[in-house]
């Protein structure tokens, strides 16, 4: 460790002894420094010169800018004066315009107003199918410019055109949108602005938003369509026209059909219809049976000697055969046989009567159920919406209708059947006794008269 | 000055159009009802007197009670026929009128459901077709009832007279 320090100390001594030993290099250093100093002075002088030159330049620029500002200000005052002059001139001109146009301003206002009113009117009208470009001619209603002579003439012409077109029956060709969404050009007959239909008798509605004819989803009755075709062919003279410009025809779509009505009746309605169907089947069957037995009774009456067991009268009379009783006993036998025949003749009448009585009651039940539903909807939603209530009530009434519709034919059938069965039983009763007496005529006529 | 036939027909068609399809049903029932009544009237004034005369002369010849009874029964049945049907049709008329009233009410409520209470014109059509059928049904029923009562009472009287003839034999 001590050795290291020693050697480094010796080295330092050695170097300093070497500098001290050479004086010439120091002189050179001084010269260098002097030279550098003179160089710096020169450079500084140059910089100073440059700065002063730049300062002069800037001052020159400033002067120029001030001159430009002055020029611009002068220009501004000149322009402002010009603007003011123009303004006053404009006011003068406007005043002149107003003075010169005088009452024409009012005319233009009215023309614009009428054009604005006419445009939706024309769009609503089905004559637009023939003159599709005419609403464009009324565009001046929205613009600020003064309507020119052409515009005024257009307005007048369109009014006149619409008036004439609404009073004529015209055959036209126009695109028609069918129910499947496809549109094609077809032959139409347009009656004023009220009704239009194709040559096949399909009634059309005018679609205002698309400016197109479309086929009504639910057409008027076929007879009206047929009348239209006949009118088109020149064979008919009657025609269905909707005076409300298509609104009434559009309402047809909202009318519920028969099946929809029946569905409105709900479960009670189906029950009533099922009962009515059963009743009608029973009635029809019984009518057939009754007609058959009545025909057989008549044929038996025409042939009284040949007793046949295939009919009620024959059976009643056969009950007497082979017996040898007194007359009063025979009459008892006849009564008994008739009593045996009666249930077959009167079969089904009671059930028909029952069904005829039950159907209106069930209808009433359905109505009451529907009314309960209506009142429940009132407790939930209040009376604010009459549409909600009215729908329920019309459904409720539907079951009453169904009940009556079922009851009326059933009542009719019952009355028909009962009057016929009464006639047959009367025939049986009296004819059997009469035949009995006729076959044994002359035997004991006095006893017969006593028996009655 | 009386209105012409055309005016009458027009008024009638208006009536039927306002009242709806039920009126046609009432018309049908009314036609059947009055044709039955006419048949009864014809029977009363033309057929029955002749039939009764034939019966009395025949009863004079055949004295057997049962034969007489059978003959009287024939006439009785002929006398009594159709009355049940007439009565049934008379009871049906107001019922059909009621049906028309209910369907008219449904129309009213349908209009209410679609348009609310704001459109009284739509409702008026339904109200008209609700009141007309009841009125018509009543009118037909009352007119039929007048004839029915007279004819039925006459038939009853004739039947009791026939029974009297039967009891007392051929006299009278």
């Amino acid at each position: 460790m001590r050795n290291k320090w020693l050697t480094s100390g010796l080295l330092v001594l050695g170097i300093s002894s070497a500098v001290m030993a050479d004086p010439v290099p120091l002189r050179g250093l001084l010269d260098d420094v002097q030279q550098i100093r003179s160089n710096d002075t020169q450079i500084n002088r140059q910089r100073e010169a440059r700065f002063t030159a730049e300062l002069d330049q800037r001052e020159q620029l400033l002067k120029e800018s001030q001159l430009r500002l002055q020029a611009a200000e002068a220009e501004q005052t000149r322009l402002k004066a010009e603007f003011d002059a123009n303004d006053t001139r404009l006011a003068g001109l406007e005043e002149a315009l107003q003075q010169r146009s005088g009452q024409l301003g009012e005319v233009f206002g009215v023309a614009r107003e009428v054009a604005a009113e006419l445009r939706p009117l024309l769009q609503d009208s089905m004559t637009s199918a023939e003159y599709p470009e005419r609403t464009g001619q009324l565009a001046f209603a929205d613009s600020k410019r003064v309507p020119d002579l052409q515009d005024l003439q257009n307005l007048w012409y369109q009014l006149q055109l619409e008036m004439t077109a609404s009073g004529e029956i015209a055959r036209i060709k126009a695109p028609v949108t069918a129910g499947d969404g496809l549109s094609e050009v077809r032959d139409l007959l347009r009656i004023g602005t009220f009704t239009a239909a194709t040559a096949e008798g399909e009634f059309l509605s005018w679609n205002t938003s698309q400016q197109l004819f479309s086929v009504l989803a639910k057409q008027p009755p076929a007879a009206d369509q047929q009348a239209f075709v006949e009118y088109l062919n020149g064979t008919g003279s009657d025609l269905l026209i909707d005076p409300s410009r298509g609104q009434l025809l559009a309402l047809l779509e909202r009318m519920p059909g028969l099946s929809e009505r029946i569905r409105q009746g709900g479960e009670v309605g189906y029950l009533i219809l099922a009962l009515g169907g059963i009743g009608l089947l029973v009635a029809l069957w019984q009518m057939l049976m009754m007609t058959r037995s009545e025909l057989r009774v008549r044929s038996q009456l025409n042939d009284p000697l040949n007793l046949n067991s295939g009919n009620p009268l024959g059976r009643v009379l056969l009950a007497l055969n082979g017996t040898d009783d007194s007359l009063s006993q025979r009459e008892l036998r006849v009564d008994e046989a008739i009593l045996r025949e009666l249930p077959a003749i009167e079969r089904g009448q009671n059930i028909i009567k029952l069904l005829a009585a039950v159907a209106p009651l069930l209808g009433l039940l359905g109505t009451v159920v529907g009314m309960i539903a209506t009142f429940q909807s009132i407790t939930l939603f209040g009376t604010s919406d009459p549409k909600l209530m009215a729908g329920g009530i019309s459904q409720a009434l539907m079951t009453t209708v169904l009940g009556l519709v079922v009851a009326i034919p059933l009542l009719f059938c019952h009355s028909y059947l009962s009057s016929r069965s009464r006639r047959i039983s009367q025939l049986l009763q009296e004819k059997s006794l009469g035949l009995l007496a006729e076959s044994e005529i002359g035997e004991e006529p006095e006893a017969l008269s006593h028996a009655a | 000055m009386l209105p012409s036939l055309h005016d009458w027909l027009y008024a009638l068609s208006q009536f039927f159009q306002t009242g709806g399809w039920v009126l046609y049903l009432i018309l049908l029932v009314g036609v059947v009802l009055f044709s039955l009544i006419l048949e009864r009237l014809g029977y009363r004034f033309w057929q029955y007197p002749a039939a009764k005369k034939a019966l009395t002369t025949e009863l004079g010849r055949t004295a057997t009670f049962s034969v007489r009874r059978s003959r009287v029964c024939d006439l009785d049945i002929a006398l009594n026929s159709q009355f049940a049907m007439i009565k049934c049709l008379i009871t049906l008329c107001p019922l059909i009128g009621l049906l028309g009233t209910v369907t008219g009410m449904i129309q009213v409520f349908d209009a209410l459901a679609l348009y609310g209470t704001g459109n009284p014109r739509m409702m008026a059509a339904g109200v008209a077709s609700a009141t007309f059928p009841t009125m018509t049904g009543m009118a037909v029923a009352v007119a039929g009832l007048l004839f029915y009562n007279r004819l039925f009472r006459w038939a009853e009287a004739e039947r009791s007279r026939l029974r009297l003839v039967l009891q007392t034999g051929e006299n009278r």
Side-chain angles (χ1 to χ4, degrees):
Chain A
M1 201 50 114
R2 185 167 291 180
N3 275 353
K4 253 186 192 169
W5 283 356
L6 200 65
T7 47
S8 62
L10 280 178
L11 265 173
V12 168
L13 274 179
I15 288 168
S16 60
S17 64
V19 169
M20 296 284 266
D22 193 6
V24 182
L26 275 177
R27 192 75 216 175
L29 183 65
L30 187 66
D31 286 346
D32 281 352
V33 168
Q34 267 182 344
Q35 200 179 346
I36 287 164
R37 264 185 62 191
S38 70
N39 274 354
D40 282 355
T41 331
Q42 204 176 349
I43 286 166
N44 280 342
R45 210 171 293 138
Q46 278 173 357
R47 280 170 66 190
E48 269 171 26
R50 208 171 76 227
F51 287 155
T52 36
E54 259 177 35
L55 184 66
D56 286 349
Q57 211 180 342
R58 299 287 160 187
E59 272 171 358
Q60 185 67 32
L61 276 173
L62 181 66
K63 247 177 235 167
E64 279 175 20
S65 295
Q66 275 168 349
L67 276 176
R68 267 176 33 218
L69 179 66
Q70 276 173 1
E73 272 171 355
E75 178 76 6
Q76 187 203 8
T77 49
R78 190 185 66 79
L79 284 176
K80 194 164 185 314
E82 197 180 323
F83 179 81
D84 287 345
N86 279 343
D87 214 21
T88 49
R89 197 165 142 242
L90 195 64
L93 281 175
E94 254 172 21
E95 204 175 336
L97 176 69
Q98 220 153 22
Q99 272 175 358
R100 283 181 200 165
S101 62
Q103 290 154 332
L104 276 181
E106 249 172 71
V107 171
F108 295 147
V110 170
R112 273 205 199 93
E113 205 176 300
V114 171
E117 278 174 14
L118 183 60
R119 220 159 19 156
L121 213 71
L122 292 184
Q123 279 173 346
D124 279 347
S125 160
M126 30 178 89
T127 51
S128 293
E130 292 152 79
Y131 315 105
E133 76 290 342
R134 57 184 181 175
T135 45
Q137 295 181 350
L138 300 173
F140 70 88
D142 294 335
S143 70
K144 284 279 281 177
R145 70 186 173 83
V146 174
D148 57 20
L149 193 59
Q150 184 68 40
D151 290 332
L152 293 179
Q153 277 176 348
N154 271 339
L155 177 64
W156 163 79
Y157 176 71
Q158 296 301 348
L159 279 167
Q160 179 80 31
L161 182 70
E162 175 68 9
M163 191 155 64
T164 315
S166 67
E168 70 185 4
I169 297 175
R171 280 170 190 269
I172 55 173
K173 273 180 188 289
V176 172
T177 314
D180 53 7
L182 299 175
S183 96
E184 53 176 335
V185 176
R186 292 167 76 171
D187 286 318
L188 310 175
L189 184 73
R190 177 181 61 75
I191 298 150
T193 53
F194 302 109
T195 307
T198 63
E200 291 82 37
E202 288 174 310
F203 280 79
L204 304 172
S205 67
W206 176 249
N207 193 330
T208 309
S209 58
Q210 294 177 335
Q211 296 286 296
L212 270 177
F213 279 115
S214 53
V215 177
L216 277 171
K218 197 162 181 179
Q219 293 285 326
D224 290 324
Q225 291 183 313
Q226 187 57 35
F228 203 97
V229 174
E230 278 172 11
Y231 181 86
L232 207 58
N233 296 334
T235 49
S237 59
D238 288 338
L239 203 59
L240 178 74
I241 292 178
D242 181 1
S244 65
R245 298 177 172 224
Q247 284 178 22
L248 288 176
L249 286 178
L251 280 181
L252 279 177
E253 258 171 75
R254 304 221 188 150
M255 290 269 282
L258 189 65
S259 59
E260 225 168 308
R261 287 270 189 222
I262 290 173
R263 213 176 308 127
Q264 279 183 352
E267 290 87 353
V268 181
Y270 287 123
L271 182 65
I272 294 171
L273 283 180
L275 289 182
I278 291 171
L280 278 182
L281 282 180
V282 169
L284 276 178
W285 177 249
Q286 199 54 29
M287 268 180 210
L288 279 177
M289 299 307 288
M290 207 171 267
T291 313
R292 210 182 63 168
S293 63
E294 206 174 345
L295 282 176
R296 286 187 181 168
V297 166
R298 282 193 193 285
S299 69
Q300 180 73 72
L301 273 175
N302 290 333
D303 187 13
L305 294 176
N306 205 356
L307 291 181
N308 186 356
S309 67
N311 69 79
L313 185 57
R315 278 197 292 273
V316 169
L317 290 177
L318 277 175
L320 293 172
N321 262 11
T323 52
D324 230 5
D325 304 325
S326 67
L327 200 63
S328 56
Q329 272 174 321
R330 285 182 168 199
E331 284 209 8
L332 275 179
R333 247 176 224 285
V334 167
D335 280 345
E336 204 178 297
I338 287 172
L339 274 181
R340 219 175 293 137
E341 292 298 327
L342 276 184
I345 294 168
E346 288 176 351
R347 187 185 297 144
Q349 282 177 26
N350 275 334
I351 188 128
I352 292 171
K353 194 173 188 182
L354 177 74
L355 289 177
V358 158
L361 281 181
L362 273 177
L364 186 62
L365 172 71
T367 301
V368 175
V369 168
M371 293 299 267
I372 289 173
T374 306
F375 282 115
Q376 268 175 350
S377 83
I378 290 178
T379 49
L380 281 178
F381 303 110
T383 52
S384 57
D385 192 0
K387 299 181 185 186
L388 209 68
M389 292 176 350
I393 292 172
S394 81
Q395 280 184 17
L397 287 177
M398 202 55 221
T399 54
T400 304
V401 169
L402 286 175
L404 284 173
V405 161
V406 165
I408 287 170
L410 283 184
L411 265 182
F412 186 80
C413 286
H414 174 256
S415 138
Y416 179 72
L417 282 176
S418 69
S419 77
R420 247 178 111 174
S421 73
R422 209 179 306 141
R423 203 167 63 212
I424 290 179
S425 66
Q426 200 178 352
L427 262 177
L428 279 184
Q429 221 150 7
E430 315 246 338
K431 290 291 174 181
S432 59
L433 284 177
L435 280 174
L436 185 65
E438 258 174 13
S439 63
E440 296 171 3
I441 217 159
E443 270 187 25
E444 32 191 346
E446 292 311 308
L448 253 172
S449 68
H450 279 300
Chain B
M1 181 126 174
L2 279 169
S4 67
L5 182 67
H6 185 266
D7 289 344
W8 276 108
L9 283 180
Y10 181 73
L12 206 62
S13 74
Q14 283 291 308
F15 182 74
F16 274 96
Q17 224 158 33
T18 323
W21 59 273
V22 176
L23 282 186
Y24 291 100
L25 200 62
I26 294 180
L27 179 71
L28 178 75
V29 170
V31 165
V32 173
L33 174 65
F34 278 98
S35 54
L36 285 180
I37 286 175
L38 278 179
E39 191 266 348
R40 282 291 88 187
L41 282 172
Y43 180 78
R44 175 183 171 172
F45 288 115
W46 282 284
Q47 283 178 319
Y48 181 71
K52 198 177 171 188
K53 191 171 269 179
L55 181 76
T56 44
T57 52
E58 195 186 340
L59 286 188
R61 275 191 271 114
T62 56
T64 322
F65 178 78
S66 286
V67 174
R68 269 189 272 156
R69 186 173 173 179
S70 166
R71 292 281 178 275
V72 169
C73 159
D74 276 343
L75 200 59
D76 195 342
I77 286 178
L79 197 61
N80 212 17
S81 69
Q82 317 296 1
F83 277 116
M85 188 54 70
I86 291 175
K87 191 169 188 191
C88 168
L89 289 178
I90 286 173
T91 47
L92 279 189
C93 273
L95 215 56
I96 296 173
L98 182 63
L99 176 68
T101 299
V102 181
T103 51
M105 295 287 281
I106 288 179
Q107 271 185 25
V108 173
F109 283 114
D110 273 351
L112 272 184
L114 280 180
Y115 300 101
T117 47
N119 198 340
R121 254 182 239 179
M122 296 264 180
M123 285 161 54
V127 170
S129 68
T131 48
F132 278 15
T134 305
M135 185 191 79
T136 317
M138 289 287 175
V140 172
V142 166
L145 207 60
L146 288 176
F147 286 101
Y148 171 80
N149 266 347
R150 302 286 299 174
L151 282 170
F152 192 68
R153 220 174 293 158
W154 167 79
E156 287 283 307
E158 282 301 316
R159 271 164 79 194
S160 56
R161 214 168 290 157
L162 278 180
R163 220 167 291 143
L164 207 67
V165 169
L166 188 63
Q167 294 292 335
T168 57
E170 67 277 7
N171 60 348
R172 135 104 259 240

